[in-house]
Structure formats: structure tokens, C-alpha cells
Amino acid sequence: MNRITLDVNRSKGTINKNIYGHFSEHLGRCIYQGLYVGEESNIPNVKGMRTDVVEALKKIKAPLLRWPGGCFADEYHWQDGIGPKESRKRMVNTNWGGVVEDNSFGTHEFMELCQQIGCEPYINANVGSGTVREMAEWVEYLNSEGDSSVVQQRWKNGRKEPFNVKYWGVGNESWGCGGNMRPEYYADEFRRYQTYCRNYGKNKLYRIACGPTDRDYNWMEVLMQRAAPYMDAITLHYYTLCGDWQKKGSATEFDTADYYKVLSRAADMDTFVTNHDKIMDKYDPDKRIGLIVDEWGTWYDVEPGTNPGFLYQQNTMRDAMVAAITLNIFNRHCDRVVMANLAQTVNVLQAVILTEGDQMVLTPTYYVFDLYKAHQDAKEVDCFVICNETGDETHKMGQLTASASEKEGKVTLTVANLSADEKAETAVAIRDKEIAGVSARILNGEMHQYNDFGKTPVEVQPFTDYEVLANGEIKLNLPPCSVAEVTVCLK
Ligand code: AHR
């Protein structure tokens, strides 16, 4: 039998709720049609924001939203997205599908969206094609109370109070679409740009440097060596592909080998985070600087017949397993990982929500975020797993992935059985504690299952296939390809 031992007396610290953050870019149908339909739309909305989508994000307690990109961020000029909509500048979104961007969703709309969701805004500003002045004035526009021309513009646009935006990204993928810079050059640029991003009033900016992609350890080393004192956090991007960047594989048509390949690639996140953390430790042993994985998730070939630049993909139980693996990794590294943003919220890549006209579908990945929401701002709890192996000849892995936390006398364990076809009998023990009560919820299905418009077979269900044994342990009978949340009340 598999065994999970929880020890509430051993913890790496608090699981920052921002680990459960999301990412929304001006890409395909993420912003337009996905989050924003405009006030004139027949689709129910409040000030242009889709009511169904906002409500769904509130249910999973989405704590934070990153915007406006992605690659789009380094071509975005914030002044184009303020003022009367009819006079806003039009541009062609050269990164994503060559479509016309009319800038009808800009700074004020993004702040309104965050307010409706009840989440923190994280703005990723332009270094690649912007200027220091442009960035500095965006911060001033958002956060200053001073009677300057920039702030007067905000007043004129209907907002008297400052927005007090805290999370501030200085460039995106500056090693690639954000300017093809060398780490040495970007480190200097970061130091320069962040200098002029001022703190206004009591609002202290949380300055986020552009970090590496997956295994680019040199980028991390150089940034930490040259710019550590100037940053509050540094980013990491990692996408899980089934194939390679030329042929990424289908989201829905795959065999068991592809299933395990994707899961094992998702598990590589642990290696990347561990190795980057070690480099950061050299320069920041007290872990003052956070690691922010502000783009993660699966990336497949687009759904047949859809715009290749829109990155629209379906989302199966395989994606739910990727989410479970990844979020458990982040929870377990909560002493360094302070934020993460799944790419991307609606209709793009590993979306939690898909829309088609006025219809909305919640993906299996959405339900994983629902199952994990109790971890937000809870104390991480040591979670020791001994389990069987699963996988195939090429991709072997532990059958279980798990993490745990404690809040207000309740312990939450999230555990996934990664096997495509074998159940997992699992004994759970909580060291030195007595159990007062247990409840559980589960998401499970065949690995190819997904939710579509008018057909939603995958949803969270109450889970009852467990028993509390005489020795105080809990025996779970986890079905194949499942993610469970087990809540234990302590005496
Ligand atoms: O999420 C899609 C793209 O992936 C982002 O725009 C970019 O930052 C990354 O390469």
C-alpha cells in the first residue's frame, strides 16, 4: 500500500495564495470574448466584463491576474489604452495572429476586471520597445496622488483615487520576444528601469525582474549576481509540451505513452525550481527574493480549424494531472515560490475556462484549482510520500503526487493518482495528531475526457471511498487518473 505521512510540526512556511494566480494576455480570445465583451454585448456583463467568467474565477478564489502579456507586453504602449474608446489607437497584434487590436481593453478596464474578480493586479510593463519614461509614467498614472499632468489625465479618465498597483514586472522574456537581450545587458536595463518606477504614498512597488526559461541557469546566475539587490522577485517560465516546438502534439488525441510523457515533463518543474532556488540561495540565502513562475502549463497544437496565432486548445484529464503535479510542486517549494500564473485564464493554452459566444465551459484544470483553493495562505505541512511506480518503459514516476497545508485546525491534503489505469490504495497518517473528522472531494475520469459546450462529463464530486482505520490512519482508495482533496479536522 502507498503511504503518506503528514507532520504539522514541520513546515516550510506559508503557501502564498498568489501561487494560484492566472495570466491574461492580449492573445486570441483570452481578453476579447473571453474576459471582456464590451458593455454593448448581449452576453451578460458588468461594465463589459463577462459575468459568467468573473463569477467562475471568484469561485476558485483567483487571487491575482497578470496582464497585458506575455510577448504582447513588450509591444504594448499603455497610453494607447486610455481615454475615450473611439479615439484609442489601433494596432496590429504582430505576435498573435496579426489581428487588429483596438485597445478598447486598457488600464482602467483591467483594473475594473481585477476589482470585480476581487484579485490583485500584476502589470508586466514594456522594456523591449518602450522607454524608461513610458514605464515610469505608467506607474505614476496608476499610483500617484500628486497634481501632475500625468495624474490629471487619470482624473480626466474618471479615476480620482490612485489604483495602488503593487506587482510590477519589468519586461517579459527579455531573452526572446522581449528584446533578444543577453543577461548582462538585461541586468543593467532592469537596474535602470526599476530606478524610475517610484513608490507613491504608502504603496511600495514589488519589483519583478525577468528571469529565465526552464533550464537557462546562466540567465539566473547573471541576474542574481548583477541585480539581486534591486529586485523583489524574479520570474521563471516553463511550458509542458508533448512533442517539440515544431510539433507540440494534440490536446485530445494521444496514447498512454504521450500521457506519461507529458506528466513526466510536468514533473520536471521540480528540477527547474530546485536548481534555480540553489542559484538564488548563493546570492540570497535568506530567501528575500521570490521566484515567480508567471507562465506555466501545457502547450499543444491548436485545435484543428482555429487560428494558429490564437493558441486555442482543449483541456483533458491529462491537463488536470499536470495542474495537480505542478501546484503540489509549488506548494512544496513555498519558501521560494511566491507566485505562479497559469497560462492563460480563458481560451488560450491550458485555460481554466473556455467560451463560445455566450456559452462557458469549465475545464478539468479549473476543477483542480477548486480542489486546491484551501491551500491559499495556509501553513505548508511536511508531506512524505512512499508510493509505487507508474508510467511506461520510457517515463517512470511515482504513482502519487501530493502536498498538504494547515489552517484553522484543518489539514488539507491534495493528492493525485497519476496512473492511467490502476487505482491507488493509500494510507494517510498525521503524526502525533488525532483526527476529529474527514471529508473529501475528487476529480477523476478517463485520461482523454474533457468538457465541451453542452457536454461536461468532468466535474468535482464528493469522495467517499475512504475509511478511518482503528489506528487513526485514513485509507483512501483513489481511482486511476484522479485528483483528490482530503480535509481532516484535528482534535
Ligand atoms: O503564453 C504565450 C506566450 O508564451 C507568451 O506571450 C510568452 O511570454 C511566452 O513565450
Side-chain angles (χ1 to χ4, degrees), residues 177-371:
C177 64
N180 287 307
M181 301 175 197
R182 296 171 306 115
E184 293 80 3
Y185 181 79
Y186 173 75
D188 283 348
E189 286 293 83
F190 172 75
R191 291 167 60 137
R192 187 165 77 107
Y193 271 73
Q194 69 78 36
T195 304
Y196 302 96
C197 296
R198 306 291 187 194
N199 295 325
Y200 290 99
K202 288 197 181 125
N203 188 65
K204 190 172 176 310
L205 275 189
Y206 187 85
R207 294 171 166 78
I208 302 169
C210 166
T213 184
D214 48 56
R215 69 199 82 217
D216 185 353
Y217 300 119
N218 179 54
W219 184 282
M220 180 61 86
E221 185 83 46
V222 173
L223 261 289
M224 290 302 294
Q225 200 177 60
R226 298 182 177 219
Y230 303 94
M231 64 175 82
D232 294 301
I234 185 162
T235 63
L236 169 66
H237 288 182
Y238 174 54
Y239 285 100
T240 304
L241 280 59
C242 187
D244 54 32
W245 284 104
Q246 272 64 49
K247 184 116 196 57
K248 304 179 195 75
S250 160
T252 52
E253 285 169 28
F254 54 89
D255 58 20
T256 311
D258 290 335
Y259 171 80
Y260 287 120
K261 191 203 283 182
V262 165
L263 267 48
S264 95
R265 287 182 175 186
D268 288 343
M269 180 70 89
D270 191 54
T271 310
F272 302 140
V273 169
T274 304
N275 291 343
H276 285 297
D277 184 24
K278 271 190 203 140
I279 297 169
M280 293 175 78
D281 276 345
K282 276 184 10 196
Y283 303 93
D284 177 38
D286 298 334
K287 298 194 192 289
R288 178 190 66 82
I289 299 172
L291 182 62
I292 291 182
V293 189
D294 62 1
E295 287 186 32
W296 69 271
T298 52
W299 192 326
Y300 306 116
D301 295 331
V302 297
E303 291 305 316
T306 64
N307 187 327
F310 280 15
L311 311 187
Y312 177 75
Q313 64 189 43
Q314 249 298 351
N315 192 297
T316 66
M317 275 304 295
R318 177 174 67 169
D319 298 281
M321 307 313 277
V322 168
I325 292 169
T326 310
L327 292 170
N328 282 336
I329 292 168
F330 294 157
N331 286 346
R332 298 173 79 115
H333 283 280
C334 67
D335 55 343
R336 182 64 88 178
V337 178
V338 296
M339 186 200 292
N341 306 72
L342 176 66
Q344 301 192 2
T345 322
V346 194
N347 294 330
V348 171
L349 300 176
Q350 193 178 348
V352 287
I353 297 170
L354 303 176
T355 65
E356 195 61 75
D358 64 354
Q359 296 182 74
M360 178 188 81
V361 155
L362 305 177
T363 66
T365 301
Y366 175 91
Y367 288 111
V368 176
F369 276 75
D370 188 48
L371 289 171

Side-chain angles (χ1 to χ4, degrees), residues 14-232:
T14 302
I15 297 173
N16 194 316
K17 67 176 178 190
N18 291 336
I19 283 177
Y20 292 86
H22 296 269
F23 169 36
S24 56
E25 179 166 14
H26 288 241
L27 195 179
R29 296 185 301 116
C30 182
I31 299 285
Y32 300 110
Q33 298 178 41
L35 290 155
Y36 179 76
V37 287
E39 291 181 64
E40 307 304 322
S41 173
N42 292 333
I43 299 171
N45 69 84
V46 176
K47 296 190 180 164
M49 314 300 154
R50 279 188 79 127
T51 307
D52 51 358
V53 171
V54 167
E55 288 306 315
L57 291 172
K58 277 161 79 173
K59 274 197 193 124
I60 54 172
K61 295 193 174 162
L64 178 127
L65 199 56
R66 173 178 183 242
W67 172 83
C71 295
F72 183 79
D74 280 292
E75 291 204 295
Y76 183 65
H77 301 284
W78 68 274
Q79 291 270 13
D80 300 345
I82 56 169
K85 290 199 195 223
E86 56 286 0
S87 47
R88 290 191 192 174
K89 192 171 163 187
R90 288 163 74 83
M91 69 183 278
V92 172
N93 190 335
T94 42
N95 279 292
W96 306 117
V99 291
V100 171
E101 163 65 61
D102 67 3
N103 278 303
S104 53
F105 187 96
T107 299
H108 289 259
E109 289 76 18
F110 175 61
M111 298 308 298
E112 171 66 28
L113 174 63
C114 290
Q115 202 232 311
Q116 287 188 26
I117 297 170
C119 72
E120 282 277 334
Y122 163 15
I123 291 184
N124 205 132
N126 182 345
V127 169
S129 69
T131 63
V132 175
R133 175 177 176 176
E134 183 184 356
M135 191 185 289
E137 289 189 346
W138 199 2
V139 178
E140 184 185 359
Y141 183 88
L142 287 158
N143 291 348
S144 173
E145 278 182 294
D147 187 1
S148 69
S149 303
V150 171
V151 174
Q152 283 172 9
Q153 243 185 321
R154 186 187 76 222
W155 296 343
K156 204 169 130 217
N157 292 330
R159 174 78 186 198
K160 182 73 188 155
E161 301 304 315
F163 288 110
N164 293 326
V165 171
K166 174 178 172 188
Y167 296 105
W168 197 257
V170 180
N172 166 74
E173 296 196 351
S174 304
W175 36 262
C177 64
N180 287 307
M181 301 175 197
R182 296 171 306 115
E184 293 80 3
Y185 181 79
Y186 173 75
D188 283 348
E189 286 293 83
F190 172 75
R191 291 167 60 137
R192 187 165 77 107
Y193 271 73
Q194 69 78 36
T195 304
Y196 302 96
C197 296
R198 306 291 187 194
N199 295 325
Y200 290 99
K202 288 197 181 125
N203 188 65
K204 190 172 176 310
L205 275 189
Y206 187 85
R207 294 171 166 78
I208 302 169
C210 166
T213 184
D214 48 56
R215 69 199 82 217
D216 185 353
Y217 300 119
N218 179 54
W219 184 282
M220 180 61 86
E221 185 83 46
V222 173
L223 261 289
M224 290 302 294
Q225 200 177 60
R226 298 182 177 219
Y230 303 94
M231 64 175 82
D232 294 301

